[in-house]
Amino acid sequence: MVLTKRWGIVLLLLCVSGVRAELQIEINQGVENPTPIAVVPFAWQGVGSPPEDVAQIIDSDLARSGQFAPVSRRDMLSYPTRESALFFRDWRAISAEYVLIGRVTVGAQARIDFQLFDTTRQEAVESGTVTGPVSELRMLSHRVSDSVYETLTGIPGAFATRLLYVSVTRNPTGKDFYRLTLADSDGRRPIVLLEGREPILSPAWSPDGTEVAYVSFETSRPAIYRQNLRTGEREQLTNFKGLNNSPAWSPDGNSMALVLSKDGNPDIYLLNLKSRALTRLTRHFAIDTEPTWMPDGKSLLFTSDRGGRPQIYRYDLRTQKIERVTFEGRYNARARVAQDGRNVALVHQRDGRYHIAVFDLVTDRLTVLTETSLDESPSIAPNGSIVLYATKRGEASILGAVAVDGGVRFSLPAREGSVQEPAWSPYVTP
Amino acid sequence: MKNVTLCAKWMGLVFAALFLAACSSNETKEAEAAAAAAAEQAAQETAAREAEQQAQAQAQQVREEAAADVGTVFYFDFDSSSLTDDARGQVDAHISALLGNNASVRLEGHTDERGTREYNLALGERRANAVRDYMVANGVPSYRIETISYGEENPLAYGSGESNWQQNRRVELK
């Protein structure tokens, strides 16, 4: 079977799934002494009542990071929305180190003006404005969170991003029900992109965040599809005999690494998305799978059991040389590289338990981040600070998140059923 | 003289006719007898063939029932794609049935939930291929066998722990 070039518009993006695919967020562990910050309710300058509580969205983002301890509104002595109404003593009295105030204006566009103050130094440390479509007011609020987070931690925030994941409703007497879901990074506004009774696997983002790729068994055989999030166009990219899995977009967006077993056993291939030329990269009787790109696009990491047990290897596209990367332990698989090109999140087995670990490509040091025993599918936030992954709670699969430094942990269970295979989006162009 | 000659010619013709008639009559009888014998033989052969076919059909039915009895799910040891002795016995029963019919089969490979999903897809394929290769080695044409891997998707048992995992490490014949 050759590559198919059928484009089809699918009914997607249109079907909001309601609560069923929605994630909840439970913060399990924050940093010691998180920074107290007061996010004061923002002024509303629009017709009717505000569609979103912008300050509450920012408050929740900062709380979820584990690095901040937002002050409760009930404890605030006043609700200033302009600098002229702000009295630092009111905020020092309730031990808020920082105060964020702002105003939301909605006309043809939505606009949020905000100012961040240091109550000790009694001065503004940041002021800014974000604008965008009224329908994207939640995403604009997350952009304020990103900005505040970067000002106070020195690291860009990753709140104005999205998550892709697979939700599964178990059916003990028949086939499970699968949904490929897209949601904001806080789990809100879930949208079902694809659903059905056949498995959906390996969701992946295009580097510009406008497209996703995944594996669907909808034809009763696995095939790789790409789907445009804006237009809803969908295309089946592969339909080979055997495995068709692990699509991984190259950083320049022009090609896709993937796994096919059409020539006998699983190997890594490169599909040129323009010319449709297919190049076989690995050629080994062992299992080669789970390709992922280094951020510079010059090499790929992949999982192979060519040494007897699954370990991470690196394929250099220029020299076509393969070198082994991980040596610690009997099982290291499914690597994902942070944007810094240094931290690699992977699944590491220790004492028969499967944990999420971070491997430092510079020091060759491997650090286990999780204590649960059935962890898989790590995905790193675009700012490199948090690893999202899937784990088990009882019979259900839930998402977990852990800071790369191990300091912060939170869980994202589905309100109903299981959730697995998270893929954190790149920074999306507003 | 002329009449004698004519008479002799006539006599000749009559004899010839009689002779031919006699011959023809003999041939008909022989043919009839031969035909009867052939028919009898054919009937016997048909009966024998039918009996044989019936016996074969019965034997095939026995083989297919035996295959059905052993089930269509073959279990594997942890981290292994080698057929266990039990699984080999089961697959042998299916091979016997498949050698007597033209059925096509689909072999679906599965793993337990431990380890990564994509690596497990590869392990599930290894298990399905192990069953396929064993069938092909024993005479089932490869074009009648399709293999597919679901990895850890579609588990038979949802919980964790070995009692559940061992039910999920399997190849299903469909």
Side-chain angles (χ1 to χ4, degrees):
Chain A
M1 182 68 200
V2 287
L3 301 175
T4 55
K5 291 186 184 173
R6 275 182 289 129
W7 280 91
I9 309 267
V10 193
L11 53 141
L12 45 101
L13 298 186
L14 314 164
C15 163
V16 178
S17 67
V19 294
R20 291 214 283 178
E22 194 168 306
L23 299 173
Q24 307 173 82
I25 296 192
E26 301 165 3
I27 298 163
N28 309 116
Q29 178 193 316
V31 296
E32 279 184 42
N33 303 316
T35 306
I37 183 170
V39 184
V40 184
F42 282 23
W44 168 248
Q45 297 163 340
V47 182
S49 56
E52 298 288 350
D53 185 339
V54 169
Q56 185 58 54
I57 295 167
I58 298 164
D59 186 294
S60 300
D61 283 345
L62 296 175
R64 197 170 66 253
S65 76
Q67 289 161 277
F68 294 93
V71 172
S72 164
R73 283 181 186 180
R74 284 190 312 255
D75 296 336
M76 295 178 188
L77 301 173
S78 56
Y79 295 143
T81 59
R82 292 185 183 278
E83 188 175 0
S84 56
L86 180 79
F87 301 102
F88 288 109
R89 64 172 184 278
D90 287 356
W91 302 98
R92 285 200 303 272
I94 59 167
S95 303
E97 286 179 29
Y98 295 93
V99 181
L100 180 71
I101 63 170
R103 296 161 298 283
V104 182
T105 312
V106 169
Q109 286 245 298
R111 171 191 168 106
I112 305 173
D113 296 289
F114 63 95
Q115 287 163 291
L116 178 68
F117 297 92
D118 180 327
T119 64
T120 313
R121 282 154 53 201
Q122 303 196 23
E123 62 184 27
V125 289
E126 190 194 1
S127 69
T129 299
V130 293
T131 56
V134 180
S135 61
E136 289 299 309
L137 191 53
R138 286 196 71 92
M139 202 47 96
L140 296 176
S141 309
H142 293 309
R143 283 175 56 202
V144 175
S145 303
D146 283 345
S147 188
V148 169
Y149 184 87
E150 183 167 12
T151 299
L152 298 181
T153 67
I155 301 161
F159 302 109
T161 53
R162 300 169 98 183
L163 308 177
L164 200 58
Y165 53 89
V166 176
S167 340
V168 184
T169 309
R170 298 291 189 211
N171 178 9
T173 57
K175 285 186 162 183
D176 296 343
F177 196 77
Y178 287 79
R179 285 187 188 86
L180 177 64
T181 308
L182 176 69
D184 289 354
S185 73
D186 59 358
R188 300 289 298 272
R189 302 199 299 170
I191 294 166
V192 175
L193 300 180
L194 180 74
E195 60 182 10
R197 300 221 168 265
E198 297 297 333
I200 302 169
L201 287 156
S202 311
W205 287 90
S206 70
D208 65 0
T210 62
E211 284 187 88
V212 298
Y214 51 83
V215 174
S216 167
F217 280 65
E218 64 200 66
T219 61
S220 89
R221 293 178 184 86
I224 297 172
Y225 299 81
R226 75 194 282 194
Q227 191 163 320
N228 187 303
L229 297 176
R230 290 184 183 151
T231 64
E233 277 180 308
R234 189 170 95 124
E235 181 190 11
Q236 185 176 341
L237 287 173
T238 68
N239 181 24
F240 292 100
K241 189 169 162 288
L243 299 179
N244 295 252
N245 63 277
S246 300
W249 246 290
S250 62
D252 65 9
N254 293 333
S255 55
M256 187 180 279
L258 43 89
V259 173
L260 302 172
S261 62
K262 66 186 181 71
D263 297 317
N265 65 299
D267 275 305
I268 315 287
Y269 291 76
L270 194 62
L271 174 65
N272 183 315
L273 292 171
K274 286 182 179 140
S275 69
R276 298 306 160 124
L278 190 67
T279 313
R280 185 172 175 180
L281 299 185
T282 67
R283 198 175 290 271
H284 198 284
F285 57 82
I287 291 170
D288 291 338
T289 188
E290 300 171 341
T292 193
W293 293 83
M294 291 298 290
D296 64 7
K298 291 178 179 165
S299 60
L300 290 152
L301 300 185
F302 65 99
T303 307
S304 177
D305 71 347
R306 59 184 62 203
R309 300 287 312 167
Q311 294 289 347
I312 304 299
Y313 290 76
R314 183 177 190 150
Y315 178 90
D316 186 304
L317 284 159
R318 191 179 57 81
T319 64
Q320 303 181 5
K321 289 269 178 7
I322 291 170
E323 58 167 351
R324 184 167 162 180
V325 173
T326 57
F327 292 89
E328 189 175 334
R330 299 183 71 233
Y331 191 110
N332 291 294
R334 212 223 182 235
R336 287 292 183 271
V337 191
Q339 276 305 307
D340 63 6
R342 177 169 176 173
N343 279 331
V344 179
L346 47 79
V347 175
H348 174 75
Q349 188 210 72
R350 197 167 65 184
D351 304 328
R353 294 152 67 93
Y354 296 80
H355 301 290
I356 302 300
V358 167
F359 181 78
D360 183 327
L361 286 171
V362 175
T363 64
D364 282 353
R365 196 181 140 85
L366 186 130
T367 311
V368 174
L369 297 179
T370 60
E371 280 144 24
T372 36
S373 58
L374 289 165
D375 306 336
E376 60 183 5
S377 310
S379 174
I380 304 182
N383 67 357
S385 68
I386 291 184
V387 183
L388 191 62
Y389 60 96
T391 186
K392 293 274 281 201
R393 181 187 281 174
E395 288 192 6
S397 186
I398 66 166
L399 301 188
V402 59
V404 170
D405 63 12
V408 177
R409 291 162 201 279
F410 54 96
S411 310
L412 301 93
R415 290 193 194 279
E416 188 184 309
S418 277
V419 55
Q420 59 200 36
E421 297 224 275
W424 207 316
S425 78
Y427 283 116
V428 186
T429 321
Chain B
M1 247 342 257
K2 194 178 175 182
N3 283 344
V4 171
T5 312
L6 195 66
C7 183
K9 271 186 184 171
W10 273 106
M11 287 300 282
L13 276 172
V14 169
F15 277 114
L18 282 171
F19 176 76
L20 280 174
C23 273
S24 153
S25 169
N26 282 345
E27 275 180 4
T28 305
K29 279 180 190 149
E30 280 169 22
E32 276 169 3
E40 195 177 338
Q41 195 181 347
Q44 280 170 359
E45 279 173 7
T46 305
R49 202 160 47 237
E50 277 171 2
E52 196 184 337
Q53 278 172 352
Q54 202 176 348
Q56 278 178 359
Q58 278 169 357
Q60 179 60 17
Q61 197 181 344
V62 167
R63 284 193 291 269
E64 287 180 2
E65 281 168 4
D69 282 347
V70 299
T72 54
V73 184
F74 320 129
Y75 296 99
F76 288 73
D77 290 334
F78 172 59
D79 211 15
S80 168
S81 57
S82 303
L83 272 71
T84 63
D85 290 343
D86 285 353
R88 201 176 294 269
Q90 287 175 286
V91 178
D92 282 338
H94 285 282
I95 291 169
S96 299
L98 287 168
L99 292 176
N101 63 28
N102 290 312
S104 289
V105 294
R106 178 174 154 111
L107 298 169
E108 299 181 351
H110 296 263
T111 67
D112 66 33
E113 64 181 346
R114 288 174 288 176
T116 69
R117 285 178 190 273
E118 288 148 329
Y119 188 71
N120 282 342
L121 279 175
L123 293 178
E125 183 181 62
R126 252 185 201 169
R127 285 183 178 148
N129 287 350
V131 176
R132 178 201 62 195
D133 293 348
Y134 183 68
M135 286 181 159
V136 170
N138 285 283
V140 182
S142 59
Y143 64 82
R144 287 169 53 195
I145 307 169
E146 182 187 14
T147 56
I148 191 164
S149 175
Y150 284 95
E152 60 184 275
E153 310 304 317
N154 295 348
L156 280 182
Y158 289 127
S160 295
E162 182 53 28
S163 62
N164 291 304
W165 290 333
Q166 67 185 8
Q167 296 179 60
N168 294 332
R169 294 190 301 265
R170 69 200 195 274
V171 168
E172 290 191 38
L173 182 148
K174 290 187 173 174

